[in-house]
Amino acid sequence: NAGVTQTPKFQVLKTGQSMTLQCAQDMNHEYMSWYRQDPGMGLRLIHYSVGAGITDQGEVPNGYNVSRSTTEDFPLRLLSAAPSQTSVYFCASSGWGGSGLTTDTQYFGPGTRLTVL
Amino acid sequence: GNSVTQMEGPVTLSEEAFLTINCTYTATGYPSLFWYVQYPGEGLQLLLKATKADDKGSNKGFEATYRKETTSFHLEKGSVQVSDSAVYFCALSPNSGGSNYKLTFGKGTLLTVNP
């Protein structure tokens, strides 16, 4: 099991550029989430998904889009990058997993460090 | 809404010292409570959790007890090691209405343990 994988690990964008952060999990988890981590702010939920084809907004959704066409993948799109989106982005998943796991135990990817100039 | 407040860092200790990181929460109902740890350059990983009042979560020598009367979930370890240096996050899950996956995190506490 690779767990939760994220690409790229680092990215530098110019203001106004667009890009997609990739996230994939191989645990057959129903739930996937995107968080951003900023100094002194902890983790804040951007978007989440409860299954393929179903997504919803979290605490800080503006400027980001998501889709979930498969159980495994949950990409995060920045439509027009702004300096305020400079952050570390974490993808997480959770699910029943068939092995006593519960949906509230989240598994995190290693993160993508994004800088917007 | 739900919120988590944890003690501000950074916390610097010598090896074998006693550790306490305070965490209090505000939530309706009966949330589940968690401590996650983030080692340098890595994502978060679950350290321990407790799902009901008076439960004690424990792992790797760390402990935390779910105190509903004081709405607290303080993290403790009797003797820290250099390898415990990391950022520690307290978090809660609403544990109701099928939304267990929506965690609310505290701001994190950086712990540095010196040899």
Side-chain angles (χ1 to χ4, degrees), chain A residues 31 33 35 37 40-45 48-50 57 90 94 96 102-111, chain B residues 32 34 36 38 41-46 49 51 87 89 93 95 98-108:
Chain A
Y31 306 105
S33 305
Y35 294 88
Q37 182 181 27
M41 299 293 289
L43 275 76
R44 294 180 290 171
L45 183 64
Y48 62 96
S49 168
V50 302
Q57 297 180 353
F90 288 100
S94 63
W96 296 110
T102 56
T103 57
D104 55 9
T105 299
Q106 300 216 356
Y107 293 81
F108 283 81
Chain B
S32 293
F34 308 83
Y36 278 81
Q38 183 181 30
E42 298 183 9
L44 281 71
Q45 54 186 276
L46 179 66
K49 75 176 192 180
T51 58
V87 181
F89 291 92
S93 160
N95 201 26
S99 57
N100 289 359
Y101 49 88
K102 293 173 68 175
L103 297 187
T104 299
F105 286 87
K107 294 182 178 182

Side-chain angles (χ1 to χ4, degrees), chain A:
Chain A
N1 268 356
V4 179
T5 57
Q6 292 183 237
T7 56
K9 288 191 175 182
F10 301 95
Q11 183 70 49
V12 178
L13 292 178
K14 295 181 179 178
T15 297
Q17 287 185 316
S18 63
M19 78 160 296
T20 299
L21 308 185
Q22 301 291 344
C23 174
Q25 52 92 7
D26 61 359
M27 298 173 282
N28 202 32
H29 283 169
E30 303 97 310
Y31 306 105
M32 297 186 75
S33 305
W34 275 103
Y35 294 88
R36 60 177 289 173
Q37 182 181 27
D38 301 294
M41 299 293 289
L43 275 76
R44 294 180 290 171
L45 183 64
I46 304 171
H47 285 286
Y48 62 96
S49 168
V50 302
I54 306 170
T55 64
D56 206 347
Q57 297 180 353
E59 181 185 355
V60 287
N62 291 342
Y64 307 95
N65 274 1
V66 293
S67 60
R68 184 125 178 248
S69 56
T70 67
T71 299
E72 295 78 20
D73 300 300
F74 190 43
L76 178 72
R77 296 183 188 84
L78 282 71
L79 304 176
S80 178
S84 61
Q85 293 178 304
T86 294
S87 187
V88 181
Y89 291 85
F90 288 100
C91 179
S93 73
S94 63
W96 296 110
S99 58
L101 297 175
T102 56
T103 57
D104 55 9
T105 299
Q106 300 216 356
Y107 293 81
F108 283 81
T112 295
R113 184 174 295 274
L114 175 67
T115 301
V116 182
L117 303 175

